[in-house]
């Protein structure tokens, strides 16, 4: 997922344009900014890419998730169904909203299993947040059907999958809102940044208000004349970060094309080697191809292979089952509800139990079974053909262990 691999002249040019005006703020200062509106430009381009009607940039993907939750009216005591394979930000945003993350099983898409959502449903469930992990997608059509038939809000965490599509429709546009991250290691980066997209003008207005202290942005050149229809916070992006994003977004189609080509070469070779099966990708044509994920027959074999990949120098290989940040197994802080201060949901929570939901005792056998057999390999942009050939040789060696 490495936009940082192809930093260059364009990023410098966009940033310099901002530095030369001295206007680092995304709103106002019309006279001084010399026509440069980097955040606005990025939002417009993101709408063109995703065909969403509205986009609002935030200071991070985590801020985008919080903004989406608030905009959709998710708050104290509401239950939100989330997957156990994600980045910690997904459940953090739910907890900080005062809501209750409820974990449901993933399937071989490595995303929420639509057939298991029912098990996590309760009268308090208000929303589902599928996470489109590692550049690919959930069975988002089925998840949307589930949400529609149960009257639930759908917020897509597409932080890892900008540019991915399902049946030609952009990931992030199936839900009421979609969230992206442009942090330092994502497909395209702003340094730090994120975005929400939506087709609803009401949700967009709420998002742009919430992420900017409630400003309705109707006061014209005088920010002080804006009204504040809701209490908000500051999740604004700076023009400097947005400027980097403008340059990176222009490179996205090149990034996707390169990743898809590199991934295909390696996957074709691995299919010939055999002994592995691949992650189920609901629409292979829409895969953004940041990772190649595959399954071994069991945990013991997966552990052998991940060690062998490392021994053979196949860098960028991940065994998420042991990872501290991406799989629930090592989220001790969540299981023990270790927090800096009382959370908004403290009113209804005791120790590690929230509303009777016991975080210290979550059993997700199907997810454990899948993740314990899964290995993902990062796909890089900078590989030459010789690099890829060399890599395939190393993978062959590693898999014959
Ligand atoms: C990166 C990421 C986030 C958070 O994004 P930041 O910009 O780092 O705050 C949220 N969800 C997932 C799945 C991510 O990978």
């Amino acid at each position: 997922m490495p936009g940082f691999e192809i930093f260059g002249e364009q990023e410098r040019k966009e940033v310099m344009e901002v530095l030369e005006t001295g206007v680092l703020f995304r709103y106002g200062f019309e006279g001084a900014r010399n026509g440069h509106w980097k955040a606005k430009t990025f939002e417009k381009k993101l709408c063109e890419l995703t065909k969403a009607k509205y986009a609002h940039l935030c200071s991070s993907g985590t801020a985008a998730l919080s903004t989406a939750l608030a905009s959709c009216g998710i708050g104290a005591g509401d239950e939100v169904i989330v997957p156990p394979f994600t980045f910690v930000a997904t459940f953090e945003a739910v907890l900080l909203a005062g809501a209750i993350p409820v974990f449901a099983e993933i399937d071989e898409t490595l995303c929420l299993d639509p057939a298991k959502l029912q098990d996590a449903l309760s009268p308090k469930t208000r929303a589902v947040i599928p996470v489109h992990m590692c550049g690919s997608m959930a069975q988002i059509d089925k998840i949307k059907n589930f949400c529609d038939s149960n009257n639930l809000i759908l917020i897509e965490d597409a932080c890892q999958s900008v540019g991915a599509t399902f049946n030609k429709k952009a990931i992030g546009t199936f839900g009421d809102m979609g969230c992206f991250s442009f942090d330092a290691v994502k497909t395209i980066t702003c340094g730090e940044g994120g975005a929400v997209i939506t087709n609803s003008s009401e949700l967009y207005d709420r998002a742009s208000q919430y992420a900017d202290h409630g400003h309705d942005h109707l006061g014209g050149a005088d920010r002080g004349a804006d009204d504040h229809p809701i209490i908000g916070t500051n999740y604004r992006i700076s023009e400097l970060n947005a400027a980097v994003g403008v340059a990176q977004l222009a490179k996205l189609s090149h990034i996707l094309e390169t990743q898809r080509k590199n991934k295909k070469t390696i996957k074709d070779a691995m299919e010939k080697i055999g002994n592995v099966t691949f992650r189920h990708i609901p629409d292979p044509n829409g895969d953004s191809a940041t990772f190649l994920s595959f399954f071994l027959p069991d945990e013991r074999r997966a552990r052998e292979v991940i060690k062998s990949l490392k021994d053979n120098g196949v860098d960028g290989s991940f065994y998420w089952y042991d990872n501290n940040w991406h799989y629930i197994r090592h989220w001790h802080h969540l299981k023990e509800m270790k927090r800096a201060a009382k959370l908004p949901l403290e009113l209804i929570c005791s120790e590690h139990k929230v509303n009777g939901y016991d975080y210290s005792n979550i059993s997700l056998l199907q997810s454990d079974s899948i993740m314990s057999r899964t290995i993902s390999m990062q796909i890089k942009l900078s590989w030459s053909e010789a690099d890829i050939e060399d890599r395939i040789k190393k993978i062959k060696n590693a898999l014959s262990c």
Side-chain angles (χ1 to χ4, degrees):
M1 18 156 73
F4 65 79
E5 284 185 275
I6 50 166
F7 253 83
E9 200 46 53
Q10 297 85 339
E11 283 78 0
R12 267 192 293 280
K13 174 179 162 284
E14 295 288 341
V15 171
M16 282 313 294
E17 284 178 0
V18 175
L19 287 177
E20 274 156 17
T21 66
V23 180
L24 311 188
F25 196 57
R26 65 158 300 171
Y27 297 110
F29 297 96
E30 296 202 20
R33 61 195 313 139
N34 201 16
H36 297 304
W37 299 87
K38 300 305 181 189
K40 278 197 174 116
T41 304
F42 192 161
E43 285 161 352
K44 189 164 155 275
K45 301 267 177 205
L46 193 58
C47 287
E48 285 167 15
L49 172 80
T50 58
K51 308 223 161 51
K53 282 198 188 135
Y54 307 96
H56 186 73
L57 286 180
C58 297
S59 49
S60 70
T62 311
L65 284 164
S66 291
T67 301
L69 285 162
S71 304
C72 291
I74 308 297
D78 294 334
E79 291 186 5
V80 180
I81 299 176
V82 296
F85 179 46
T86 178
F87 177 58
V88 291
T90 315
F91 75 73
E92 285 173 343
V94 175
L95 283 174
L96 290 179
I100 303 161
V102 173
F103 291 90
E105 299 276 17
I106 58 163
D107 59 22
E108 289 204 351
T109 63
L110 304 183
C111 305
L112 277 178
D113 181 350
K116 293 294 164 73
L117 292 172
Q118 189 70 36
D119 297 348
L121 194 68
S122 92
K124 290 209 163 68
T125 311
R126 290 281 318 283
V128 180
I129 308 186
V131 184
H132 302 286
M133 281 302 276
C134 302
S136 179
M137 74 225 57
Q139 301 188 59
I140 193 65
D141 52 343
K142 293 188 182 145
I143 293 172
K144 180 161 170 44
N145 284 344
F146 178 87
C147 290
D148 289 347
S149 51
N150 289 284
N151 207 8
L152 302 175
I153 285 160
L154 174 59
I155 296 172
E156 294 175 77
D157 181 339
C159 285
Q160 296 193 3
S161 293
V162 70
T165 55
F166 177 76
N167 293 344
K168 302 211 164 113
K169 186 170 152 65
I171 287 302
T173 59
F174 289 83
D176 297 275
M177 294 192 110
C179 301
F180 295 110
S181 164
F182 309 114
D183 79 19
V185 295
K186 295 301 205 279
T187 311
I188 56 172
T189 180
C190 294
E192 298 284 1
V196 290
I197 57 172
T198 182
N199 285 325
S200 154
S201 65
E202 276 157 40
L203 291 179
Y204 165 74
D205 285 345
R206 273 282 124 106
S208 84
Q209 291 160 8
Y210 183 76
D212 184 24
H213 300 297
H215 276 271
D216 65 2
H217 306 120
L218 296 175
D222 178 8
R223 249 172 87 77
D226 285 350
D227 202 353
H228 30 62
I230 56 165
I231 297 168
T233 185
N234 177 4
Y235 286 147
R236 290 187 308 259
I237 194 162
S238 89
E239 281 287 277
L240 284 174
N241 293 90
V244 177
V246 168
Q248 287 261 300
L249 191 57
K251 296 177 177 179
L252 182 63
S253 59
H254 163 74
I255 292 175
L256 295 178
E257 201 182 304
T258 311
Q259 281 173 175
R260 284 169 177 159
K261 185 168 129 281
N262 291 351
K263 176 169 175 176
K264 183 174 183 317
T265 311
I266 294 175
K267 188 174 175 194
D268 287 351
M270 285 180 70
E271 264 167 350
K272 287 202 194 101
I273 303 168
N275 297 329
V276 297
T277 54
F278 294 93
R279 169 188 189 174
H280 173 55
I281 297 181
D283 177 8
N285 293 324
D287 179 15
S288 76
T290 54
F291 281 92
L292 173 56
S293 300
F294 56 96
F295 304 119
L296 286 309
D298 55 33
E299 178 177 346
R300 190 193 53 79
R301 180 64 185 152
R303 288 187 180 280
E304 249 167 39
V305 169
I306 188 70
K307 181 170 180 307
S308 180
L309 285 167
K310 297 221 157 113
D311 292 347
N312 280 279
V314 184
D315 57 354
S317 304
F318 296 90
Y319 184 57
W320 305 114
Y321 195 54
D322 283 350
N323 184 287
N324 279 342
W325 296 95
H326 292 284
Y327 191 60
I328 196 168
R329 204 160 76 93
H330 288 307
W331 294 345
H332 305 301
H333 58 332
L334 172 71
K335 293 180 186 179
E336 293 160 32
M337 271 289 150
K338 289 201 171 143
R339 54 241 188 251
K342 280 190 181 177
L343 292 171
L345 54 71
E346 213 84 347
L347 296 170
I348 45 167
C349 106
S350 65
E351 296 188 9
H352 38 72
K353 281 197 188 162
V354 178
N355 232 9
Y357 188 71
D358 185 350
Y359 285 91
S360 70
N361 190 24
I362 297 171
S363 169
L364 294 162
L365 298 178
Q366 176 176 311
S367 304
D368 282 346
S369 155
I370 291 167
M371 293 314 295
S372 65
R373 300 185 290 112
T374 303
I375 292 177
S376 298
M377 294 190 306
Q378 192 168 33
I379 302 298
K380 289 237 170 120
L381 302 172
S382 50
W383 290 333
S384 66
E385 276 178 28
D387 289 339
I388 294 179
E389 260 174 51
D390 178 54
R391 205 173 161 81
I392 289 171
K393 270 193 209 125
K394 288 174 175 167
I395 294 170
K396 258 188 201 158
N397 283 340
L399 283 174
S400 63
C401 70

